[in-house]
Amino acid sequence: EKEDGTKSGVASVANDAPHDPIADDARPRSVNENETENTHARLADAAEALNAVSFSRCDVTAPEEDSSQSKGLFARESLDAVLCLSVTKWIQLNRGDAGLKRLFMDVHESLTPGGVFIVEPQPWRSYRQAFKKQRMPEETRAHFLAIALRPSLYAEFLRTTVGFERVTTLRDADMHAASEFDRTVLLCVKKSAP
């Protein structure tokens, strides 16, 4: 609050005139009101595009022999973008390197040419911490001990083995020593059609 009693960023008008909603459109507006209106307008414009967005809940790493999951979970070249945050560690702990490699390959296959895959590898240190936070089955411990594809190797694997044309680090964190939520974010771009 300023010395004159008004609040910063807010226009206040006091008078004894009756409320006139038409005149309200002509009154001076604060920066906050204009920003809010602009935000609402942008959201309204985006609503149509958001109607084309769909979400699916499934275990994309389920072994192929698992009859509850169908092969070809996502149709070939059917997705423009895939976002994968805070899950790579859990995939590796529960499905091993094979589960994570399958995810990476399936995502690449499902992306349209020029499509993007944004993945957030969790730091290696957090893998060990998972065992301190909760009791894990022996199978999970066995997966952990067998991990060869460590998070620091994802970018190279995604480029050379999976086949992404470009893998760019959007945010860089130390993959060996980073804290739980100080994470690297990778942007992987599938090769565009010729």
Side-chain angles (χ1 to χ4, degrees), residues 59-71 95 99 102:
D59 183 354
V60 296
T61 66
E64 291 183 35
E65 62 271 7
D66 182 347
S67 60
S68 67
Q69 300 291 326
S70 62
K71 178 64 183 142
R95 302 285 187 186
R102 178 173 175 216

Side-chain angles (χ1 to χ4, degrees), residues 2-190:
K2 295 181 182 179
E3 288 178 14
D4 65 358
T6 62
K7 292 185 178 178
S8 176
V10 177
S12 63
V13 177
N15 63 28
D16 294 331
H19 176 69
D20 182 355
I22 295 173
D24 279 352
D25 287 339
R27 71 179 168 79
R29 295 187 179 232
S30 72
V31 172
N32 291 341
E33 288 175 339
N34 287 333
E35 286 176 7
T36 300
E37 283 184 11
N38 288 339
T39 300
H40 288 284
R42 285 193 310 271
L43 288 174
D45 290 343
E48 186 175 325
L50 290 175
N51 287 332
V53 174
S54 62
F55 295 90
S56 177
R57 184 181 72 90
C58 51
D59 183 354
V60 296
T61 66
E64 291 183 35
E65 62 271 7
D66 182 347
S67 60
S68 67
Q69 300 291 326
S70 62
K71 178 64 183 142
L73 188 60
F74 300 111
R76 183 176 176 80
E77 296 185 355
S78 63
L79 304 173
D80 296 317
V82 175
L83 183 63
C84 184
L85 305 174
S86 300
V87 298
T88 56
K89 167 177 67 179
W90 300 109
I91 291 170
Q92 282 186 292
L93 290 177
N94 289 292
R95 302 285 187 186
D97 280 352
L100 188 64
K101 289 176 180 180
R102 178 173 175 216
L103 170 72
F104 289 164
M105 294 294 200
D106 287 351
V107 165
H108 185 267
E109 186 176 295
S110 70
L111 286 171
T112 56
V116 298
F117 176 42
I118 298 173
V119 61
E120 174 195 47
Q122 290 152 289
W124 180 247
R125 187 172 108 184
S126 73
Y127 284 61
R128 286 189 215 105
Q129 291 171 341
F131 288 93
K132 293 177 185 174
K133 292 181 180 180
Q134 58 189 328
R135 185 171 161 82
M136 300 284 193
E138 281 307 311
E139 181 184 25
T140 302
R141 185 169 299 283
H143 287 308
F144 171 71
L145 295 173
I147 290 174
L149 182 60
R150 294 210 176 173
S152 59
L153 303 174
Y154 289 5
E156 186 65 20
F157 180 81
L158 288 160
R159 188 176 15 265
T160 60
T161 304
V162 177
F164 282 98
E165 179 178 42
R166 192 171 71 241
V167 178
T168 306
T169 302
L170 296 178
R171 183 179 186 308
D172 201 7
D174 182 341
M175 290 306 296
H176 297 288
S179 68
E180 185 69 19
F181 292 102
D182 179 22
R183 299 190 182 152
T184 295
V185 177
L186 302 174
L187 170 67
C188 310
V189 181
K190 186 173 179 176

